Amino acid sequence: MTDSKYFTTTKKGEIFELKAELNSDKKEKKKEAVKKVIASMTVGKDVSALFPDVVNCMQTDNLELKKLVYLYLMNYAKSQPDMAIMAVNTFVKDCEDPNPLIRALAVRTMGCIRVDKITEYLCEPLRKCLKDEDPYVRKTAAVCVAKLHDINAQLVEDQGFLDTLKDLISDSNPMVVANAVAALSEIAESHPSSNLLDLNPQSINKLLTALNECTEWGQIFILDCLANYMPKDDREAQSICERVTPRLSHANSAVVLSAVKVLMKFMEMLSKDLDYYGTLLKKLAPPLVTLLSAEPELQYVALRNINLIVQKRPEILKHEMKVFFVKYNDPIYVKLEKLDIMIRLASQANIAQVLAELKEYATEVDVDFVRKAVRAIGRCAIKVEQSAERCVSTLLDLIQTKVNYVVQEAIVVIKDIFRKYPNKYESVIATLCENLDSLDEPEARAAMIWIVGEYAERIDNADELLESFLEGFHDESTQVQLQLLTAIVKLFLKKPTETQELVQQVLSLATQDSDNPDLRDRGYIYWRLLSTDPVAAKEVVLAEKPLISEETDLIEPTLLDELICYIGTLASVYHKPPSAFVEGSRGVVHKSLPPRTGSSESAESPDTAPSGVQAPEQPAVIPTQGDLLGDLLNLDLGPPVSGPPMATSSVQMGAVDLLGGGLDSLMGGGGSGGGSFAAPSTAAPANLAAPLGSGLGDLFDLTGGVGTLPGSYVAPKTVWLPAMKAKGLEISGTFSRQVGSISMDLVLTNKALQVMSDFAIQFNRNSFGLAPAAPLQVHAPLAPNQSVEISLPLNTVGSVMKMDPLNNLQVAVKNNIDVFYFSTLYPLHILFVEDGKMERQMFLATWKDIPNENEAQFQIKDCSLNADAISSKLQGSNIFTIAKRNVEGQDMLYQSLKLTNGIWVLAELRIQPSNPSFTLSLKCRAPEVAPYVFQAYETVLKN
Amino acid sequence: MIHSLFLINCSGDIFLEKHWKSVVSQSVCDYFFEAQEKAVDVENVPPVISTPHHYLISIYRDKIFFVSVIQTEVPPLFVIEFLHRVADTFQDYFGECSETSIKDNVVIVYELLEEMLDNGFPLATESNILKELIKPPTILRSVVNSITGSSNVGDTLPTGQLSNIPWRRAGVKYTNNEAYFDVIEEIDAIIDKSGSTVFAEIQGVIDSCIKLSGMPDLSLSFMNPRLLDDVSFHPCIRFKRWESERVLSFIPPDGNFRLISYRVSSQNLVAIPVYVKHMISFKENSSSGRFDVTIGPKQNMGKTVEGVVMTVHMPKAVLNMNLTSTQGNYTFDPVTKVLTWDIGKITPQKLPNLKGIVNLQSGAPKPEENPSLNIQFKIQQLAISAKTQTWMEGR
């Protein structure tokens, strides 16, 4: 009597037969039939045709039958939404059942039926169950909120379930707390902006209490949630660490790793002199080592994480080298990871052991592993200077084995060793040369050719060796061709007499017979160098090379810090931030390690990108690509996505735009309507449009100004991206605003020796949603020492993220060479819109309405303009004077302006005729913009 | 969270699928099959595979791949641990975790999976609780069920689930109260050619079988707890007590469970209970070599060494081996170049020896002379870490 019998009926009338059985009167037969249906379902057979018959079996006292029907419903309700409604009544009834098991089962199953129509009926029972007296029902209901949110997020918010869920965090039952946390975390993931998990010391305390008492899975959720908390000082961090430490001894490795994450993160806040810091370091090592004795899959994930931990805090595992020794029966993915960590931990103290191990590995069977082992020996040599000699002799031993791929790998790493320790191990060159013929991989061939060229003076038959490569020049890969070209030129410079023929041959091969532009260019350069100035050629080609760095594959520090916050997650397995690979993660908030206490940096805005803080007015190259990378990754996809070019202005300028646009097209004669960006032709309408738009009544106020209005002030261009930092591309630029359209005026200068093309530009999310409205158009490739002026139209419909400082803009520019990142500050006045004039009454009311705390006062010094000049000057930058009053000899100007995102700023400017400094009071509902508005005032007035 | 689960056998058939959220098409497994093909060996399939829309996290247990599909950022260890727990539960319920046993009990499997995970969140994974919700199949019960029409599904709320001790069910009664503890220690050691230990550590577990009535509160203490370098506890153990007094104090679950696992590493000297004398050499420029291996017991307090199996990965140049053994059988697989010698028990009077001639490919360069010998053995009733518990106290 086993269930396998359910699988045996596969003949044609199966469905029909089941139907008859389901409608049978006998309970027993019904149950058997439902079991058969479930069995077919598990193997992916379509039994949805039986839906009505199965649902009919739902009203039963038999719990097993009920469960089976529920199973069926969950699977097929989506395909039969109308039928699923039939089941609703039973669910609602079951939610009132005296047995908590049935109540929970009903609410659980309802959440799994992913049919919109049903969700409406679900709300009431769910609300009841969230407040149920039985914790089992409550914890099930908590998860149900997450399910419902997945189906219909709006409904969950409207019904207030999120608040109820937040209340459950303080529930008395730890299981309920854990499930509420889990549900909230899941909802928060799809809703990154919401402050669902707003943790404070009280709720942290509750979580820590629940942590001790809930199940292992609950502990994982709670620990992951704790890791997002930012303790306010080191004392708090330490007390959390103390309470989390016992989790390191849990049997569930996921709990252990989540605890490690919390500790690694909060340790950042502890001072290193603290005794506790040392204790914590000691406590972290044993559990990490223990993870390595678990199943191989667990080991793999653990090793990927240990790789990060070792880079961040090598001191934790520095004595544990031996546990990373490879076992012969480890799966290959574990072996490769262990090897990686061995190299990271290699030091003078343990290098002998490591080398002995690596040598063993190099005789293993698996080719990939052997290659990596040989490479590892080379990396050891570069990392630990004292061991270099040993490593080289080990490599020579390996070369003697004559195993093809071992020899090739060995030669590649020996090349690196030569780069690190020049003039030390050249005696081995003879041995290397013996193996010349067996090299068939491009990388090894290129490495060997490099060696021959570099040490041509010591190799008697260097010319013969290189000549032998030259025979098949066209069949070689580019890498080898380039290397061969350089090597022969080096040889020529060292032994000019015998090799003239050879060098001519290679130059002509490279320049005349090759299709590869890189090769051709390099050939021409050498040719010209050699023909014009051999001395200079010598200086260039035989210049001393910089030593190569020790650790070439370390993860870049800011990325590492971010990844430490993701220990235990997929991000840690891929060593990429989640934004780089998780689908639909546009809104993923970058996590960062907490700042060490005592540093002056405040932690008030931990969510903003950590790299963006620069001194004002300074062009800055963003040194790290880590956090930008995620947002800018789609750069390669082509021109940035942009809305219609005038979208912003047409929304926010209303009538002004219509007039402006109309005039524009009249004057320009073209049908371009509002879309024309051509600056010269719009200059006149700019002056006309503004007064027209602000109403005829006010026209006279401005008569004095019209003639002199220069349009919005445009700052001179400054260098944003120096050529040094961008492989020869220099970018300078400024921002301007004309007739409601913002543009970024750029000058791209090519200071490299290479033609640049394929330009593209992209902005990171920023405070006001600035984004390119059109692709960056550079029509011809940019030749060396040429520059091009471009005006890039911008709009403000991009995605918004608050930056610090507010007007910071991070930009990525791509060309055929690379992607470069820089950040710049834009003056706020480019965001002041043309309809920023408020009605007088409105102004008064708003001024009173904004609380006094939001008022900010600034001094504008050394400005010798009178009130009228000021008001006309400001008008040009869309700061409108609403009223002017004279109080006790002082001129008071009341002004208003509006930002592209609809924020109004009201200003009162006090001018004393005798005093060159003015007092500016700003009132705004969003007080953080005030300093930037002040800067804009100052810029406009002083220029 | 965990979206779906597919069970796949070695020949690549998906024989069970379960979805906790919306249905994910079987075709997602194609990425898995691709990786499986690339890995050649079933054990080498990477545990985390990314596909355009999902991530596949898999484990390989008892010739079955448990492949879970996830869509969001989830701790992979959480998924892997859960999958192992699923396999453990099957083992617990059906005696073995195999394709046939799962197919034989497919309805129970489905019910179990439904009970273990809700919307991707683990619900009940403790075997005590699961057994209360869904009774394990026994012959007697299936007979009774078919007569009386009662079911395998319990209809009351499992008592333990919400108490402070979720692992134990209430109202346990036994006529004979018994508690058994099995201490199983595994040495993992790498020993170099000359016989000195490169790396050795002991992985130990204490598996318990507790059949005690009521709510027993037990404590267990060790002779030398300082030896333990790291411990992982079952949730029932009170951590504070261990921290302060180094005593394991706990209210156990009912039935079989793993109480603790621990590690004793090489800092504390680990004595290896066997030794190997070996002589493996290949002559230069000849197509043969000699092979001579003897295994003997070291000091082991009079306990016999049993179940000894030696496996050697011979160099690639080895064509064949002609050996004679004084005890047990040997096989040499010329394709994988693996020599397996099944010895059995070692008697100190007559040490097992395996010697003979190795035939090499002619013309091949002389291979490395030190292939790694892998020796497995068992010793009953000997705790190598010398940590044995001394007394146990129950209330």
Side-chain angles (χ1 to χ4, degrees), chain A residues 3 64 108 253 290 570 583, chain B residues 53 73 104 114 151 230:
Chain A
D3 292 351
E64 183 175 23
R108 196 173 120 197
S253 56
T290 301
L570 276 174
E583 248 186 49
Chain B
H53 300 287
E73 173 69 277
D104 282 352
E114 188 56 38
S151 73
D230 188 39

Side-chain angles (χ1 to χ4, degrees), chain A residues 502-519:
Chain A
L502 195 63
V503 81
Q504 264 163 10
Q505 202 181 340
V506 77
L507 286 175
S508 77
L509 276 173
T511 52
Q512 283 156 25
D513 301 345
S514 170
D515 296 333
N516 184 332
D518 278 352
L519 185 65

Side-chain angles (χ1 to χ4, degrees), chain A residues 818-835:
Chain A
D818 206 337
V819 182
F820 311 107
Y821 303 90
F822 64 88
S823 76
T824 177
L825 300 175
Y826 48 88
L828 213 63
H829 67 257
I830 61 164
L831 299 170
F832 298 172
V833 296
E834 274 71 7
D835 61 343

Side-chain angles (χ1 to χ4, degrees), chain B residues 44-170:
Chain B
N44 288 343
V45 181
V48 184
I49 300 169
S50 75
T51 77
H53 300 287
H54 302 91
Y55 301 92
L56 304 179
I57 297 183
S58 63
I59 63 162
Y60 180 68
R61 280 259 309 244
D62 303 305
K63 303 199 172 132
I64 301 172
F65 284 105
F66 291 72
V67 182
S68 64
V69 182
I70 55 172
Q71 216 162 14
T72 46
E73 173 69 277
V74 171
L77 277 186
F78 158 89
V79 181
I80 295 173
E81 277 279 355
F82 178 79
L83 293 178
H84 278 294
R85 210 57 65 83
V86 170
D88 290 342
T89 310
F90 290 166
Q91 177 100 34
D92 196 25
Y93 263 70
F94 315 129
E96 54 161 6
C97 175
S98 68
E99 189 181 348
T100 32
S101 71
I102 290 173
K103 275 189 171 169
D104 282 352
N105 299 291
V106 69
V107 175
I108 293 190
V109 165
Y110 229 57
E111 285 170 344
L112 278 175
L113 290 177
E114 188 56 38
E115 219 46 71
M116 290 178 84
L117 214 57
D118 176 20
N119 193 39
F121 301 116
L123 202 58
T125 51
E126 287 292 336
S127 98
N128 267 219
I129 290 172
L130 284 172
K131 281 184 178 160
E132 258 184 89
L133 282 168
I134 300 157
K135 306 230 167 43
T138 58
I139 296 167
L140 181 68
R141 185 167 294 123
S142 64
V143 171
V144 171
N145 285 355
S146 59
I147 297 167
T148 62
S150 64
S151 73
N152 281 336
V153 176
D155 54 5
T156 49
L157 191 61
T159 43
Q161 192 150 22
L162 292 161
S163 66
N164 282 340
I165 35 171
W167 51 85
R168 187 173 178 89
R169 63 200 173 101

